[in-house]
Amino acid sequence: MLAQPGSDFLTNSAALCDAVLRLRGTALTEELGRILRAVLNSPLGEYIPADAAALLLRPPIGPAQAANDDAVPSLSQDLYFDQHFFGRFVVSGRTAYSDLDRQHLSSLASLAASVLQVHSVAQRTTHAYVQVEAQLQHQAQILDQIHESVLTMDMNGFIISWNKGAERLFGYTAVEAVGRNILFLYDDEDMGFHDAFLEQGGRLMEVRRKKKSGEVFWASLSLSPLCDINDRSIGLIAYLTDITERKMAEERIHHLAYYDALTGLPNRTLLTKLVDQALMVAQRNKAHGCVLFIDLNRFKMINDTLGRHIGDALLVEVAHRFRSVLRDQDLVARLGGDEFAVGLFDIGQHFEASMVAQKLLATLNTPIFIDGHDLRVGGSIGISVFPQDGGDAETLLRLADIAMYRAKQEGGADGDHIAFYSQDMNQGMQERMRIETGLRNALGNGELLLHYQPKYSIPDGKIIGAEALVRWRHPVRGLVPPSEFIPLAEATGLVVQVGEWVLETACAQAQVWKDAGLPPIRLAVNVSAREFTAALPGRVSETLKRYGLEPTWLELEITESTLMHNIDRVIGIMDRITALGVTLSLDDFGTGYSSLSYLKRFPIDTLKIDRSFTIGIPEDTNDCAIANTIISIAQQLKHKVIAEGVETEAQLAFLKNSGCDEVQGYLFSKPLEADAFERALRENWLPNSGYRAA
């Protein structure tokens, strides 16, 4: 009689499941063999894993297939599940096995194969999960090490993730920020989340945001779409960088460019822009407009007698009085010195301008008390009218200026007077025509010459270059001041021919000095806006080749006004010039239209501090602040700085302490003729030649 299995099948099935879950390797193999013996009530039985060498040597045995009847009775069963082979059960040691034994063996093999399959899938899933989790942790670490603030949000603006950079920038932890709507970071004036960007992406903007402390700051915000695995937009990725310092620097430069540092009024540049805008509106409305040019009487005497401090305070008070009698929509600006301008628009008849002019003069009737001084000034006012006198700001200012001189002539040195521009005032233009004709002849008659003002390195006092300055030696009048013919050359276009002559003459002189063995120096040549065309780089290159000069001998000085029209075209020209090896210097920095957003794009080597800022150093705190700001900006942008108009040791000491690199001015040398400059250069480069450094 055959022995029946002595163990409960269900109990051993549970033990098998538990073994597969808990055990690995040899321990699992032995436990499965034990369970096999228990189920079949057999003294011998084993589980052979699929990768065991012994199993690979045996032919596979089908389910419940017995061995040869002549051999020792045994049973074997392969473990298969969904074509996956997991091993074999082999049992022996009994005299015979029944069909029931074979059924138990088949059931046990089927159960074991299914449990091993489930466990295998679970292991692979767990391993994949661990890998994904490790990758996510790695990416999170990288994201947290990025200095930039990175956060994600859903389509409704609710924050999904928040990196360490965002914590540092805003002051909120991820726990405090995640789940909240992005609007809690907005400044009050910047509310509203909906944006057409949500479906497009790639937008870059400058925004105001609010920190946990309540501080509002400027940030550069870049948005990118957050997509799911099907590339559908499910939210936004935001990258933020604090740009508050840059915005403040831009505001300072903007103020320097557009506002008078002393009075806070708009300067000529801003006035011109605003007047031109107002004229466009007036033209559409067929309205009148007027420009008033005001020059103070007796101011120069007060300034020269009592000092600049008193003169500056007087100008501030005059500016305040002018502003107090004008409407909000009227423009008032300080043009420089004791000259002011007023723009009147939205007026019914042009004669109303004379009423406003009378009000302005009336404000000067009351004495001005400054530091115990009872000061009295008057004014002369010239008025030009739109549209009859001109159609743009520069024309109206120019004609109002002519009218102001007529008012000053008619009113006397101390008399207040008002004059409208009239055609007969153009008679004074005859002198200008005479100068223009003479200048044209000077170009062909060899009457122009160059003087060279040395530029000095502050650290060692060596001459490192010179600015080439054009002079006109008239056969009758003698040396004509540049202030008389340069503005005229600019206005008539003759500056192009003059500029070509200066470049040619400077390079010819540099060749002479090079052949004489002088050390290489940079000769700075001023380039006007009219000269700054696409043809300029080619002309510079050809001139250098013609005289056999290395590009290091030449530097081009460009004024800010040259750079503010068609920026991309200007940058293209500048890049072509610097590609030659010729350096560029930005002249009169801070007096015109200055913008860091443009300045950082220009391939400029040097910024030049205008003499209008240098002259007040170190007594004038405003001039000191402006000079320091320009030097700081240049250092940040890795530009050199040169100050012109240095005339005192105190100015030099201040500039040296502020980090200025180079200087030029009468403290060192006036502009020299070529021979005199050569002697100065040779003496300066001799050992122990002396230096005025403070």
Side-chain angles (χ1 to χ4, degrees), residues 16 19 23 156 176 201 213 290 354 378 393 424 438 516 525 527 536 542 627 633:
L16 184 146
L23 303 177
N156 295 314
E176 294 174 304
S213 63
C290 295
S354 63
D424 66 325
V525 173
V527 177
L536 179 61
E542 291 172 3
I633 291 170

Side-chain angles (χ1 to χ4, degrees), residues 312-332:
D312 287 349
L314 175 61
L315 292 172
V316 171
E317 176 60 23
V318 169
H320 174 72
R321 292 188 180 189
F322 284 171
R323 181 72 269 177
S324 66
V325 297
L326 294 170
R327 302 171 300 176
D328 291 339
Q329 63 266 38
D330 297 333
L331 304 174
V332 59

Side-chain angles (χ1 to χ4, degrees), residues 328-373:
D328 291 339
Q329 63 266 38
D330 297 333
L331 304 174
V332 59
R334 182 188 175 210
L335 304 180
D338 61 347
E339 295 177 340
F340 295 82
V342 171
L344 302 177
F345 305 94
D346 191 25
I347 58 176
Q349 297 292 331
H350 69 268
F351 61 79
E352 294 178 15
S354 63
M355 299 170 57
V356 176
Q358 293 290 352
K359 284 185 178 181
L360 293 171
L361 293 179
T363 65
L364 303 178
N365 292 335
T366 305
I368 299 174
F369 294 95
I370 299 176
D371 289 354
H373 300 284

Side-chain angles (χ1 to χ4, degrees), residues 588 609-616 623 643-647 665-666:
D588 301 337
I609 302 176
D610 187 68
R611 65 176 294 108
S612 62
F613 300 138
T614 307
I615 195 170
D623 284 348
E644 65 178 1
V646 178
E647 299 179 358
Y666 276 48

Side-chain angles (χ1 to χ4, degrees), residues 453-685:
Q453 184 165 42
K455 295 182 177 182
Y456 290 82
S457 168
I458 289 182
D460 59 14
K462 294 296 184 183
I463 295 178
I464 47 83
E467 181 176 3
L469 301 171
V470 64
R471 296 293 185 261
W472 178 13
R473 183 169 288 142
H474 193 276
V476 177
R477 299 179 57 194
L479 208 58
V480 180
S483 58
E484 286 192 21
F485 67 89
I486 293 297
L488 180 61
E490 290 277 4
T492 60
L494 281 173
V495 71
V496 175
Q497 291 96 308
V498 173
E500 292 175 351
W501 179 89
V502 171
L503 177 63
E504 190 79 18
T505 305
C507 288
Q509 182 61 62
Q511 182 192 36
V512 172
W513 287 333
K514 176 184 176 181
D515 294 342
L518 289 178
I521 59 170
R522 293 198 317 270
L523 283 184
V525 173
N526 290 281
V527 177
S528 70
R530 289 178 178 266
E531 291 180 86
F532 205 81
T533 66
L536 179 61
R539 181 158 60 87
V540 170
S541 176
E542 291 172 3
T543 306
L544 289 173
K545 289 179 181 178
R546 186 160 55 253
Y547 291 101
L549 291 176
E550 294 79 7
T552 52
W553 279 86
L554 184 62
E555 178 181 62
L556 300 184
E557 289 194 4
I558 309 167
T559 58
E560 286 181 302
S561 59
T562 304
L563 307 178
M564 293 305 117
H565 304 284
N566 196 337
I567 299 300
D568 292 333
R569 181 189 70 85
V570 167
I571 292 177
I573 296 172
M574 296 174 76
D575 286 338
R576 289 173 57 197
I577 293 172
T578 55
L580 299 174
V582 176
T583 57
L584 294 174
S585 173
L586 186 57
D587 197 6
D588 301 337
F589 182 70
T591 62
Y593 184 99
S594 304
S595 171
L596 287 182
S597 63
Y598 292 145
L599 183 60
K600 67 181 182 181
R601 298 175 58 193
F602 294 143
I604 295 168
D605 180 74
T606 306
L607 294 182
K608 176 175 276 193
I609 302 176
D610 187 68
R611 65 176 294 108
S612 62
F613 300 138
T614 307
I615 195 170
I617 294 173
E619 294 83 5
D620 190 300
T621 56
N622 289 324
D623 284 348
C624 292
I626 291 170
N628 272 326
T629 300
I630 294 174
I631 293 171
S632 175
I633 291 170
Q635 290 172 341
Q636 292 295 322
L637 296 176
K638 300 188 181 345
H639 297 326
K640 293 196 291 291
V641 188
I642 182 170
E644 65 178 1
V646 178
E647 299 179 358
T648 68
E649 299 284 358
Q651 291 171 346
L652 176 62
F654 176 87
L655 293 167
K656 181 179 181 181
N657 292 334
S658 298
C660 186
D661 302 297
E662 303 167 3
V663 288
Q664 67 182 89
Y666 276 48
L667 175 63
F668 299 96
S669 173
K670 65 179 182 179
L672 304 171
E673 293 191 23
D675 292 344
F677 176 79
E678 180 178 341
R679 288 194 299 272
L681 182 60
R682 291 185 184 278
E683 293 171 1
N684 178 261
W685 279 81

Side-chain angles (χ1 to χ4, degrees), residues 157-230:
F158 288 95
I159 297 173
I160 302 171
S161 67
W162 184 268
N163 80 332
K164 293 292 185 183
E167 290 187 2
R168 291 188 293 268
L169 179 60
F170 288 97
Y172 293 99
T173 65
V175 174
E176 294 174 304
V178 172
R180 298 180 69 176
N181 194 282
I182 194 71
L183 293 177
F184 85 100
L185 300 174
Y186 281 36
D187 184 28
D188 292 339
E189 67 183 43
D190 199 16
M191 298 300 288
F193 174 73
H194 179 72
D195 198 305
F197 161 82
L198 292 177
E199 298 298 329
Q200 301 174 11
R203 180 169 175 183
L204 181 65
M205 65 193 89
E206 294 181 353
V207 297
R208 290 166 61 86
R209 291 293 181 261
K210 185 167 54 179
K211 297 185 180 183
K212 184 177 181 179
S213 63
E215 176 189 351
V216 176
F217 67 99
W218 279 100
S220 173
L221 170 64
S222 175
L223 295 174
S224 300
L226 179 66
C227 300
D228 61 13
I229 58 175
N230 296 317

